[in-house]
Amino acid sequence: QRPLASPAHQRLTELLSEAKQATQDYLDQHVERLSSDGLGAQAHVSDMEPGEGIIAMADEVDADLVVLATHGRGGVTRWAFGSVAQYVLHHSERPLLLVRSAHPTKTAIEHILVPLDGSDRAERILNDVIPLAAQLDARVTLVTVAREPEAFPDPSLLEAQRKHLSEMRDYL
């Protein structure tokens, strides 16, 4: 025979149930807002760790893009609480759009900056940027950042760096 749960355990179970329902109600309000704007939307509440839950849900619904608001925490706060965005960035294989929540955002994306470093791996982002920019009717600026050093002990290294910069300019 199973022992009865203590009153404290019962109360905790009630509080957790109420919190989950409040969370579902919160999400449902946003679903209504998105639906009234003509967008298809749905809501799910997960009881997993945040980063793991986001990745699991993205996989479950086969999301093409995961969009996360970042809180811009750093230092001890980030160390103590971790970063959900960083976790998702390092553990998900889906495209990820990070938006700083502390800064107001424009209602339309008109210009997309794409850093490239000359590697095939970096260039693969263009497969996602091209249709996104076309859909948004946005301009695209490609950039490579390669600082020319002020001095090298070996002049051949400086020449190699200049050649690389020239190749990158030609490439872009």
Side-chain angles (χ1 to χ4, degrees), residues 54 97 148:
I54 290 166
L97 173 61
E148 187 172 309

Side-chain angles (χ1 to χ4, degrees), residues 10-172:
Q10 288 175 342
R11 181 64 184 139
L12 180 60
T13 301
E14 290 171 11
L15 290 172
L16 290 173
S17 178
E18 290 171 12
K20 188 171 184 176
Q21 185 58 52
T23 302
Q24 186 66 54
D25 293 345
Y26 161 78
L27 291 176
D28 288 343
Q29 288 176 354
H30 289 289
V31 166
E32 287 177 27
R33 176 180 167 208
L34 294 168
S35 296
S36 70
D37 286 338
L39 300 172
Q42 57 184 325
H44 300 273
V45 177
S46 171
D47 58 0
M48 300 172 75
E49 289 294 323
E52 293 171 0
I54 290 166
I55 292 169
M57 184 54 58
D59 291 342
E60 183 179 320
V61 301
D62 196 25
D64 297 315
L65 177 67
V66 176
V67 179
L68 282 173
T70 65
H71 300 292
R73 292 186 187 122
V76 174
T77 305
R78 180 185 217 149
W79 175 80
F81 295 106
S83 168
V84 173
Q86 186 172 13
Y87 182 90
V88 174
L89 175 66
H90 291 292
H91 293 89
S92 178
E93 295 184 13
R94 297 186 181 275
L96 179 64
L97 173 61
L98 300 175
V99 179
R100 281 199 185 269
S101 60
H103 301 287
T105 57
K106 295 169 52 172
T107 56
I109 296 173
E110 299 169 347
H111 193 174
I112 301 170
L113 179 72
V114 182
L116 296 176
D117 63 9
S119 69
D120 290 339
R121 187 176 199 170
E123 290 173 17
R124 280 188 227 132
I125 192 63
L126 294 175
N127 295 330
D128 294 314
V129 169
I130 292 167
L132 178 63
Q135 183 99 20
L136 298 171
D137 195 27
R139 291 183 299 137
V140 176
T141 297
L142 305 177
V143 63
T144 292
V145 180
R147 184 173 159 212
E148 187 172 309
E150 295 178 20
F152 271 109
D154 181 351
S156 67
L157 293 176
L158 180 57
E159 187 55 38
Q161 179 70 13
R162 284 190 177 136
K163 182 180 177 201
H164 177 70
L165 285 172
S166 176
E167 289 171 357
M168 292 307 301
R169 286 186 190 107
D170 291 342
Y171 169 79
L172 296 175

